[in-house]
Amino acid sequence: MTLNSPFEENFRLTERQKDGLAKLGLKTSRDLLFYFPSRYEHFSERKNIIDLAEGDKTTVFGEVLEAETSKTWRKKMAISEITVGDNTGLLNAVWFRQPYVAKMLKIGDKVALTGKISIGKSGFYVSNPSFEKISSYEALGEGSMILPIYPETVGITSRWLRFAVDRILKKVGLTELQDPLPEKVLAKYHLPSLASSLIYIHKPQKESDAQAARKRFAFEEIFFIQLARLKQRAEVEKKHSYAVKCAPEELENLFSLFPFQLTNSQENSIRAIAEDFQKNHPMSRLLEGDVGSGKTAVAVAASFMVLNSGLQTAYMAPTEILAEQHFKSFIGYFSQLRRPAKIGLITSSGCKKFPSKVNVGQPTPISKSQLLKWVENGEIPILIGTHSLIQESVRFKNLALAIIDEQHRFGTGQRALLASQKSDKIPHLLSMTATPIPRTLALTAYGDLDLSLLDELPQGRKKIITRAISPSGRDSAYEEIRKEISAGRQAFVICPRIDEPDEEKINALNVKAVKEEAKRLKKEIFPEFEVGMLHGKMLPKEKEEALSDFKKGKTNILVATSVVEVGIDIPNATIILIEGAERFGLSQLHQLRGRVGRGEHQSYCYVFAESKSQKTMERLKAFVEGKNGFELAEYDLQLRGAGELGGGKQWGISDVGMEALRNIKMVEAAREESQKIIKDDPEFKKYPLIAERLKNGKKIHFE
Ligand code: ADP
Ligand code: MG
């Protein structure tokens, strides 16, 4: 048995276990060692039943003597009840609304129950305790009173994982493993070695062992992501790009071309871009700004500098709807800027060009071959589109700038695809996002990009009036909404986010929620209005139809899931009603709110909470008081943890890594160390383990 040998060779596995392991992505012993517990059960306060006293918070080990499920007679609430005994006495345990508990615990099972002890008519009992089946009391290991709990799946229990880890540690040991983190770095930040950390994380003797191990793995992950990003950046900086000319004195002229006063942060961002353009290597910049903060104006200014230098810009949007929208705003801006430019649009549904001789003031459809010809000969200097932009058939004459909207990562590979085939130059990159993320995440996930923030909204913008509505306020909120809609406005209704481990199921449940809510609103609340729907199971054509009906005002209310088309712009929609608001992260609520407040009318955001708990109300208060997106993201990160950032998957960061994002010092330390290494030894000659790790990067979730 070695760390790389597949389980089948060393473990006798049932089919269910094989499936479970495959589902968890675990193939080898090594994989298992790096499959970390999500939490620990503490048994340090263990007591014998005879020693219990009312109010104790403690753990009892015992054998299940009775188990049954019943229902309360009034509310029909399911109750699971068991009785356990140790050699000193009997203890009852009850679980409310958890009928499955009695099915999981059978007579004869050995269990550990942890909870608060109460006294009732028939002696001591504990309600809703956490429980853990244990094969025998000794399974906890000598002295070890902390039991790791792993993310489980059908067929693979924490108990099996503990057993397997034990066996691997005994049979193979950790001597094969070499620590990829330099010793100096470990020493400097007091981080345990790889081998110690693996033992600590799977078999902690005390709480602080597990913490030290998690800290080390978090640091390691953040360090390697940053190293990978900085390496990419160093590669890009070696390349050449087109020189875009824009003297500082010309900038003021450029600013004055806009029909409004640019905000300070817009001006600063444009200045930073102009400075980047002066350097002879490609820009890599992230422009982060709330919805409505005016990112398009910055993109237009950058495109304008490029245009004036006789060069080309490509602007890529994530969906057709958004590409169309950007095309229209670019036309709007460029027809106002005294020097108009030809602008092309390419999506899989067709191509368009502006201006047009036939149809003054309007874009005209043109053939793809015509568009591609004009892009290749430079006649069309600005091309907007979807992913269609990076097809091979699209060739630019001299592409100097690539603008990317709302793509979580735009890899070096994609960037190279955009580069001109004839020259060795690669385009400057301006990546834009409205997703407000905390600084720690920006430093990590976007470690290869320079950051410009648009942290203020243009002047004169009407603030969206936000209200948190408790269950009793629902009717009067509907009345206010009715008034607005009767006055000609429109409303979005967002159904609550459903938490479910299974993604398929989430989707199905969300679709169901949307359909039911649309039906309910039409039937019971707003029979006089037209109610439309938008959800993930609709075909692209159906979605477009639903949106266009809403845009045209054919439907008054659009009921949608939270995931659909974040960037859509419907100025007449002035109300957004969010159901189950406590289930959303604040920054997500903030983004949803940004779908209104885009026109001349006063806009409203109603957040309906199902729970009145103080924590819920406090969070919603922070939201109502209208902090900007960055503050809300930081607030959520500190208050609810990294889970609120929408899951690490989209950033390529594991749960352990995401935990580290709460710790700015650690993230900065990882950055400092990775910068040092890149500067001192960019090819990692002195660090073969680092080189290897980065080469295998894909496996360990970078990119
Ligand atoms: P986003 O950052 O969400 O992409 P947009 O660029 O679409 O925002 O801008 C939103 C609206 O604000 C547009 O209608 C735009 O014309 C307007 N706008 C942008 N900058 C300013 C400004 N400095 N002053 C006034 N209005 C502005
Ligand atoms: Mg935008």
Side-chain angles (χ1 to χ4, degrees), residues 289-297 315 322 325-326 329 405-406 432-434 567 598:
D290 266 0
V291 179
S293 58
K295 293 183 291 296
T296 317
Y315 188 156
L322 290 176
Q325 211 167 281
H326 292 319
S329 8
D405 201 19
E406 287 301 344
M432 308 203 293
T433 178
R598 291 165 161 263

Side-chain angles (χ1 to χ4, degrees), residues 653-668:
I653 302 176
S654 77
D655 291 347
V656 170
M658 291 298 278
E659 277 172 33
L661 298 179
R662 282 171 124 151
N663 186 342
I664 179 86
K665 281 215 183 91
M666 182 196 281
V667 173
E668 281 173 347

Side-chain angles (χ1 to χ4, degrees), residues 112-181:
L113 299 174
T114 304
K116 192 172 159 196
I117 304 297
S118 311
I119 191 148
K121 271 184 242 142
S122 47
F124 286 124
Y125 72 92
V126 51
S127 49
N128 293 325
S130 62
F131 65 95
E132 174 70 25
K133 268 206 262 190
I134 42 187
S135 52
S136 71
Y137 301 159
E138 289 73 22
L140 287 170
E142 273 163 73
S144 170
M145 286 301 192
I146 301 181
L147 209 54
I149 309 293
Y150 297 85
E152 301 180 348
T153 188
V154 178
I156 298 296
T157 59
S158 288
R159 197 164 103 205
W160 186 84
L161 289 161
R162 287 194 291 265
F163 149 79
V165 166
D166 254 356
R167 206 164 144 215
I168 293 166
L169 288 176
K170 281 202 191 98
K171 288 215 152 177
V172 193
L174 298 171
T175 42
E176 273 182 54
L177 283 174
Q178 283 179 293
D179 198 330
L181 284 179

Side-chain angles (χ1 to χ4, degrees), residues 660-679:
L661 298 179
R662 282 171 124 151
N663 186 342
I664 179 86
K665 281 215 183 91
M666 182 196 281
V667 173
E668 281 173 347
R671 181 153 176 102
E672 192 183 315
E673 297 307 321
S674 50
Q675 270 169 338
K676 257 193 231 156
I677 290 181
I678 288 279
K679 206 166 147 216

